[in-house]
Amino acid sequence: MIVEEGTEEEAITRLSRVGFDNVLGYLKGGFEAWKNNGKETDEIKRISPEEFAEQFSETSKVIDVRKISEYSAEHVDNAYNKPLDVISDWVNTIDDSEHFFLHCAGGYRSMIAASILNSHGIRNFTEIEGGFNGIKKTGKLPTSDFVCQSKTL
């Protein structure tokens, strides 16, 4: 996870919220120090919710990495729910020959999932910046009817 200097503790808190509790440290000088030392880099294809709305069709495959209760409350129609906290259970079931869109609620968890997928050689996907919150704001995509999360537990 790459964060702005001074937000390292917040990043550790966010990582622990999604099940990554054993953070060993951080890179002094950040990503720029990594690049300046000639280290290998990679990129995740990321698009805005508006771009997603333009590219989305009824045949689009969408993977939602939010918790089951979040997904149950409301989701993009026909999206698959594959929670980040159990990614090790499903990462090897992904067919990389078929493109898919990836999102969470706001973009943090899906970016972590994207990094894990990349590390497994899975690259045929596009991550959606701003997650479901951004998707919902476009008002352009079919979603399930909202159900209060407390009713889904």
Side-chain angles (χ1 to χ4, degrees):
M1 171 179 249
I2 299 172
V3 298
E4 296 294 322
E5 189 171 341
T7 62
E8 299 88 356
E9 287 187 30
E10 177 187 350
I12 291 169
T13 300
R14 289 181 182 272
L15 286 168
S16 68
R17 287 180 184 158
V18 296
F20 294 93
D21 296 323
N22 194 20
V23 176
L24 299 176
Y26 66 95
L27 178 62
K28 186 173 181 176
F31 189 62
E32 288 304 314
W34 183 268
K35 287 191 324 188
N36 291 339
N37 279 300
K39 302 293 185 181
E40 186 177 339
T41 63
D42 200 354
E43 293 183 16
I44 303 292
K45 183 176 181 190
R46 189 174 218 201
I47 61 172
S48 70
E50 292 78 17
E51 290 171 297
F52 174 55
E54 291 170 10
Q55 296 177 25
F56 180 84
S57 73
E58 289 183 18
T59 60
S60 295
K61 184 175 182 180
V62 179
I63 296 179
D64 181 335
V65 298
R66 295 178 299 160
K67 294 178 181 180
I68 294 169
S69 61
E70 293 172 283
Y71 174 86
S72 297
E74 190 174 23
H75 57 268
V76 173
D77 280 355
N78 300 316
Y80 295 89
N81 183 221
K82 297 187 177 287
L84 174 62
D85 62 344
V86 292
I87 194 168
S88 61
D89 294 341
W90 60 263
V91 68
N92 293 322
T93 67
I94 299 297
D95 179 1
D96 196 40
S97 68
E98 181 181 16
H99 177 267
F100 60 93
F101 294 96
L102 181 70
H103 76 83
C104 62
Y108 293 105
R109 289 175 285 181
S110 57
M111 191 53 81
I112 293 168
S115 295
I116 294 169
L117 292 168
N118 261 359
S119 74
H120 282 81
I122 299 167
R123 299 180 173 277
N124 193 11
F125 65 89
T126 305
E127 193 268 343
I128 304 161
E129 181 178 14
F132 188 76
N133 297 332
I135 293 168
K136 183 76 174 163
K137 285 180 185 174
T138 70
K140 298 178 181 178
L141 290 148
T143 60
S144 64
D145 291 334
F146 175 77
V147 177
C148 180
Q149 282 189 46
S150 66
K151 305 268 188 212
T152 66
L153 298 175

